[in-house]
Amino acid sequence: MKRREVFKIGIRELQNYSHQNFDKGFTELEEDQQGAVLKDFAEDKAKLSTISASGFFNLLRSVTLEGLYSDPLYGGNVDMDGWRMRNYPGNQMSYKDIIEKDFQEIEPTSLQDHM
Amino acid sequence: MAKKLPKVDVVIAGVGWAGGIIAAELTKKGLNVVGLERGEERNTEDYYMVHDELRYAIRGELFQDLSKETLTFRSNQKMRALPMRQYGSFLMGSGLGGAGVHWNGQLFRFLPYDFEIRSKTIERYGENKIPADMSIQDWGITYDELEPYFDKFEKMAGISGEENPLGGKRSDKYPTGPMLHSPQMKLFKKATENMKLHPYTVPSANLSEPYENPDGISRAACEYCSFCERFGCEYGAKADPVVTVIPVAKKTGKFDLRTHSWVRRVLHKGGKATGVLYTDVTTGEEIEQPADVVVLTSYVFNNVKILLNSNVSRPYDVSTGKGVVGKNYAYQVIKGASTGYFKDQKFNNFVGAGALGTRYDH
C-alpha cells in the first residue's frame, strides 16, 4: 500500500475507534482520551483488519515530527518555532566562524532566505 | 533486436567513485571510454537548496528509488526473501557519482593488519581461533603494495588529515591539514591523551582548506554547514566523483558519458567479455555496446545482479560454500555509541561536517 492509502484507512480507523470507545470523533475527544486512543494504536490494542495499527501510528508519528522539524517550505514548523524550540538555527550557509566555539544562539533562517 | 553501436576500448557500468576513477585514468592514457550510468547527471549547482532535511535525509532524494528497484532480504535460506521498502542502515546510490555523492567523506586507510587478517589472526592466536565455517581471508594484496594508491587517491581527493600514530607507514603526509577542532573534539583529544591513547583527527574528504589537485581540479574549503551524509555538497568541498575524477575524464574528450543507461548483461564469447547490453531507460530501447574491456562498477549488489544475469560465473551457494558470484559480501558497521552530558557546558551540536571527528586506534 502507498503511504496515502495507509493514511486514508488509518484516519478512518482512528475515528471508528474513538466512536466505539468514547462515542465521539477523535478531534472532539479530551486530550487524555486522544492520548489513550493513540496509545492503543501504538501498542496494537486497537485490532484492525485492514492495516497494522502500530504501523499506522509509527507513520503518523514520523510525519508529525517531519512537519515539526522540516523546513517551513512544507507548511509545518510555523515561523520556525519547531527549530527555535530546539535551539536549532535551520538553514545556515556556514558555521566556520563558530565551529571552534562554545554554544552560540543563532536566529534561525529557512530555505526561503535563499530565494 | 538490440541496436549495435561501434566498438570502443572500454565500457564502464556505473559511474560512481570506482567507475569515475577508472574513466579518468584510462582516458588520460588515451583510451576511449564509454561510461554507462543508469541514473541522472548531477552538478554542484543542483545543491543550491540542499539544506532540506526532509527532501534529502528523510525522503532520500539522492538514493536508489526503492519504489522502482529494491533488494530482497532473508536471514537464512529457509526464509522467504522480502523486499526492502524503506531505507534503514545502508543507503544505495544512483545517478552520476553514485553513493560517492551523498557520503560523509571519512577516509581512513586500512591498517596493514586488515589486509592480512587471516594470517595475522592465525599468527597471533593459532588456527583454532577461526571457526571452520568462517570464510575470512587475506586480501591477497598487502598494505605496502597498496600504499602508493592510497597516497594517489588522497592527493586526488585532497584528503585533510594528520598521521594516525598507530597507522601503516606513509610515503607522504596528507595533502591538506586536519579539519578544525570543535570543543567536543578537544575534550575527546584531551581525555584520550590523558589515558595514554593515541588520538588523531579523522581523515576527511571535506576539504579543510582550498585545494588544487594534481589533475588541476580546484575546490573550495568546507564551511562546516553539517549537511554531508545524504546530501550533495553545495560548495564542492566534499570530494565526490562529480567534482574530482569525472571532469578530468570529460576534459580528455575521450569519455562518452551516457546517463539513463542501465546495464543489464555482460556479453561474452569463448570465456571473454565482448561488451554489454544496456537499456536506455528514457525510451526502453535495448542497445549493445561492444568493447575490449568491460568494467563493472555499480556496487556489489548491482554487479552481482549483472553477473548472474550474464551467466558468466558460478553463483555462490551458501549451503556448499561453492561458487564465487555474491560470496563474501560484508557491510561495514560501526557499532557503539556513547553520549556525554556536561553540567556547565553547552555545545553547538548543529555544527559540523560529515568527516569531523577525533578517534584513536588500538
Side-chain angles (χ1 to χ4, degrees), chain B residues 260-272:
Chain B
H260 301 100
S261 300
W262 194 348
V263 174
R264 318 308 291 252
R265 275 190 285 145
V266 175
L267 304 168
H268 52 95
K269 202 176 173 185
K272 196 175 179 311

Side-chain angles (χ1 to χ4, degrees), chain B residues 124-201:
Chain B
R124 186 153 177 186
Y125 301 104
E127 288 271 2
N128 294 334
K129 185 72 182 173
I130 301 173
D133 59 353
M134 184 182 269
S135 60
I136 189 172
Q137 287 174 11
D138 289 353
W139 278 83
I141 184 172
T142 63
Y143 175 86
D144 290 338
E145 285 172 293
L146 204 60
E147 201 283 334
Y149 301 97
F150 274 135
D151 183 63
K152 192 171 181 177
F153 184 92
E154 286 165 359
K155 284 173 178 155
M156 176 276 293
I159 302 302
S160 304
E162 59 188 350
E163 188 165 349
N164 172 6
L166 301 179
K169 221 176 131 218
R170 302 179 59 92
S171 58
D172 202 353
K173 58 183 184 3
Y174 284 103
T176 52
M179 302 284 279
L180 295 174
H181 283 194
S182 64
Q184 298 96 311
M185 289 161 71
K186 285 174 198 160
L187 279 172
F188 181 88
K189 186 166 192 264
K190 202 172 144 199
T192 47
E193 273 169 357
N194 286 342
M195 293 162 78
K196 306 272 183 262
L197 297 167
H198 302 86
Y200 64 99
T201 313

Side-chain angles (χ1 to χ4, degrees), chain A residues 74-85:
Chain A
Y74 295 99
N77 188 10
V78 177
D79 296 330
M80 300 182 277
D81 283 343
W83 288 343
R84 231 173 244 116
M85 192 165 74

